[in-house]
Amino acid sequence: MASAVLLLFFWSYIKAQKFLSVILSLVGLGISIWLFSAVYDGGMLVTQSGNWSAPFGISFVADTFAVTMVLLAAIAGFAVSVFATVSMNKARLQFGFFPMLHFLIMGLQGAFLTGDIFNLYVWFEVIIISSFVLITIGGKKAQLEGAIKYVALNLLASIFFLIGIAFLYGLTGSLNMADLALKVQEIENKGLINVTASLFLVAFGIKSAVFPLYFWLPASYHTPPPAVAAIFGGLLTKVGVYAMVRTFTLIFVGDDFLSLVLSVMAALTILSGALGAMVHQHLGKIFGYLIICHIGFMMAGIGMMTELAIVGTVFYLVHDIIVKTNLFMVSGIILKINGTQNIKELGGMYKNYPLLSLLLAIPLFSLVGIPPLSGFWAKLFFIQGGLESGEYILITFIVLGSFLTLWVIAKVWVEVFWKKGVNLPKKAIGRYFHELRQREKWVLLLPIVFLSIISLYIGLGAENIISLSQRIASELMNPAAYIENVMSQNQIEL
């Protein structure tokens, strides 16, 4: 918030905004690393706003899951902030891109840290407002059309979320998540609890873009500039997944019907996302449908609701945020070089830019999950979790989704990198990659290199991410420590 407010004072000074945004994003990343280290080494931190003890005040809870998501948001925010300094044209930056980017990161990190269900709704609204501004910057017809679809569906999700919160408050008289975890278990009318949980499922399902609630995503994510699409693709749907994991492991626990619904939705999300990616030719739409497909993988882990499956969901969240953010920046580089993102009009990338092509191959093949890259390990836990819970049909869909993803990325690689280039007139999109100064080229490539190195670390250093995911899964499946820390009186004062 401090970064966003400071940048507002430099509204007309674009160069100053670029410099400050990168520096402030780096500071935010440093603070996120410090917070992650403090929680990982010293245990959970809890703050009660205004010194109002739980459950009366608004709690902020930094457990391992929350600080991991905060760190991932800071990493993605830093990468996009650097990428935008060159990839975004001046006309769009004049409409407040950098302040809105930091307001969006604020909303995301607030959603990850809150321990109050109504406060989570408030952070979701901050995210919607910020993202609506970002998606409409430039005011092109396609952007405005995509923005209307995006906002309409997300406001509908907010309505379902707010109704669900009202139900919860009516049933328990509380909004604190830890307190809700205790009080919901005492309610005898489980049918009413299931109805309330279904409202949350619809709300988070729309925000996560699961079947059949995903239609807004492929209609909107390809319309904004690549820097905006990168932060959207990496983080916006994942906050819905985070909220789903948090509520269904803490508040709505152990219902077989909900697990069945989640599993069916997961299977159909995987299939519909993969098929959508197969039939489209625009890189932005292909990557948008792959977001949907891989949200299905994470939904599958939630549906299985075993510790192994939750390990897979957390690992896949870590992998997917980094890779999807990187992929949309990759599409931005391809657009800069060729003037189009239609794969039928592309080709010759490997011949003309061999080293760059090898760099871009890292996020592409990490997405597929070719061993030992990052996408491979989480699927092992999904399969193990499915075998443990007897979810053989769900395992089949996960394997099918993996092979269809491989087919899609192989098609992209052949069309964009290996086939002979198509001689088409350049489209008027501003400066092209070969027209940029050498320093600007390096700035454009630096965040892709940065995220590619992290992707390689996630895959090649998988034992560390597995250890982190196991710790998070254990805390989620055994929430007694979370509840005790939030409800105890020995809190840090804000």
Side-chain angles (χ1 to χ4, degrees):
M1 184 179 69
S3 301
V5 172
L6 179 61
L7 285 165
L8 288 174
F9 287 95
F10 294 87
W11 187 273
S12 301
Y13 304 94
I14 302 304
K15 288 185 178 179
Q17 280 195 44
K18 290 180 179 181
F19 175 77
L20 284 172
S21 179
V22 172
I23 296 301
L24 294 168
S25 295
L26 189 59
V27 171
L29 177 57
I31 293 171
S32 299
I33 292 170
W34 169 81
L35 180 61
F36 176 86
S37 178
V39 171
Y40 196 84
D41 295 334
M44 193 180 306
L45 298 173
V46 179
T47 294
Q48 306 290 5
S49 299
N51 202 27
W52 286 83
S53 60
F56 306 107
I58 295 174
S59 302
F60 287 89
V61 187
D63 65 348
T64 313
F65 190 25
V67 296
T68 299
M69 297 299 290
V70 165
L71 177 57
L72 291 168
I75 290 170
F78 172 69
V80 170
S81 191
V82 174
F83 186 75
T85 59
V86 176
S87 69
M88 294 281 287
N89 61 45
K90 186 177 179 180
R92 281 178 163 148
L93 293 179
Q94 286 175 330
F95 289 98
F97 168 80
F98 286 114
M100 286 303 111
L101 174 64
H102 287 271
F103 276 125
L104 178 63
I105 299 298
M106 176 189 79
L108 289 163
Q109 295 187 334
F112 297 143
L113 288 169
T114 188
D116 182 279
I117 197 72
F118 185 80
N119 197 233
L120 179 61
Y121 165 80
V122 173
W123 289 120
F124 273 14
E125 295 308 293
V126 172
I127 293 167
I128 290 175
I129 294 167
S130 305
S131 56
F132 180 70
V133 176
L134 289 173
I135 204 172
T136 54
I137 283 180
K140 291 186 176 180
K141 180 181 177 182
Q143 283 181 262
L144 295 175
E145 182 183 346
I148 293 299
K149 294 174 182 175
Y150 168 78
V151 171
L153 267 295
N154 276 273
L155 287 177
L156 180 63
S158 296
I159 291 170
F160 277 105
F161 190 12
L162 199 56
I163 294 170
I165 291 170
F167 272 46
L168 266 184
Y169 187 72
L171 288 167
T172 64
S174 180
L175 296 170
N176 184 282
M177 292 187 193
D179 194 39
L180 286 170
L182 296 172
K183 290 183 175 178
V184 165
Q185 302 307 313
E186 297 172 358
I187 296 173
E188 294 182 2
N189 190 340
K190 298 304 178 186
L192 206 51
I193 295 298
N194 286 342
V195 170
T196 306
S198 299
L199 290 168
F200 281 90
L201 178 59
V202 172
F204 298 149
I206 293 173
K207 292 183 181 294
S208 303
V210 303
F211 181 91
L213 310 167
Y214 66 81
F215 296 102
W216 60 269
L217 190 152
S220 58
Y221 271 29
H222 70 286
T223 59
V228 176
I231 201 73
F232 281 22
L235 286 169
L236 285 198
T237 51
K238 309 312 179 302
V239 74
V241 174
Y242 168 85
M244 206 177 295
V245 172
R246 179 68 79 188
T247 54
F248 284 98
T249 57
L250 182 63
I251 301 171
F252 307 109
V253 184
D255 186 84
D256 292 337
F257 175 74
L258 280 174
S259 294
L260 176 62
V261 171
L262 284 163
S263 297
V264 171
M265 291 175 71
L268 294 174
T269 302
I270 292 169
L271 185 61
S272 55
L275 293 177
M278 290 173 68
V279 300
H280 280 91
Q281 310 300 326
H282 187 282
L283 273 179
K285 288 191 174 183
I286 290 171
F287 293 154
Y289 274 103
L290 287 178
I291 290 173
I292 296 165
C293 175
H294 300 149
I295 290 293
F297 290 169
M298 292 175 263
M299 286 281 293
I302 303 170
M304 294 176 197
M305 200 51 74
T306 65
E307 193 162 317
L308 272 176
I310 297 296
V311 169
T313 296
V314 173
F315 195 115
Y316 209 91
L317 261 176
V318 174
H319 145 81
D320 204 62
I321 288 171
I322 300 300
V323 168
K324 290 297 194 315
T325 304
N326 212 0
L327 277 181
F328 280 96
M329 291 195 292
V330 166
S331 71
I333 290 283
I334 293 171
L335 177 63
K336 276 284 182 184
I337 293 173
N338 301 281
T340 181
Q341 289 184 320
N342 188 322
I343 62 175
K344 292 299 181 183
E345 299 175 4
L346 295 170
M349 279 283 293
Y350 187 79
K351 179 182 178 181
N352 298 322
Y353 301 93
L355 293 178
L356 177 61
S357 298
L358 291 175
L359 169 64
L360 303 186
I362 295 172
L364 285 168
F365 296 135
S366 294
L367 181 70
V368 175
I370 295 173
L373 298 178
S374 57
F376 169 73
W377 302 103
K379 292 169 190 172
L380 288 182
F381 287 101
F382 288 137
I383 292 170
Q384 284 183 300
L387 292 172
E388 181 181 81
S389 58
E391 296 278 1
Y392 303 113
I393 295 176
L394 208 49
I395 292 173
T396 303
F397 275 93
I398 290 170
V399 173
L400 176 62
S402 301
F403 277 110
L404 292 178
T405 300
L406 173 61
W407 190 91
V408 170
I409 295 302
K411 182 181 76 169
V412 168
W413 183 259
V414 169
E415 293 283 349
V416 178
F417 295 90
W418 273 359
K419 82 174 184 188
K420 186 178 179 181
V422 179
N423 294 320
L424 292 173
K426 299 288 186 181
K427 296 182 179 178
I429 61 161
R431 294 181 300 173
Y432 293 92
F433 189 73
H434 59 81
E435 295 174 346
L436 298 176
R437 295 192 297 270
Q438 195 65 30
R439 181 184 64 82
E440 291 176 319
K441 290 181 181 179
W442 280 110
V443 172
L444 205 59
L445 292 175
L446 180 63
I448 295 177
V449 173
F450 172 60
L451 294 185
S452 295
I453 290 171
I454 294 174
S455 287
L456 288 174
Y457 172 76
I458 294 171
L460 301 178
E463 66 275 10
N464 298 317
I465 309 301
I466 290 170
S467 176
L468 172 65
S469 300
Q470 288 173 333
R471 173 170 167 170
I472 292 171
S474 177
E475 290 178 3
L476 290 171
M477 298 299 287
N478 303 283
Y482 179 98
I483 296 168
E484 183 181 352
N485 274 279
V486 174
M487 300 303 292
S488 67
Q489 297 303 310
N490 298 320
Q491 312 293 353
I492 301 168
E493 294 185 11
L494 182 62

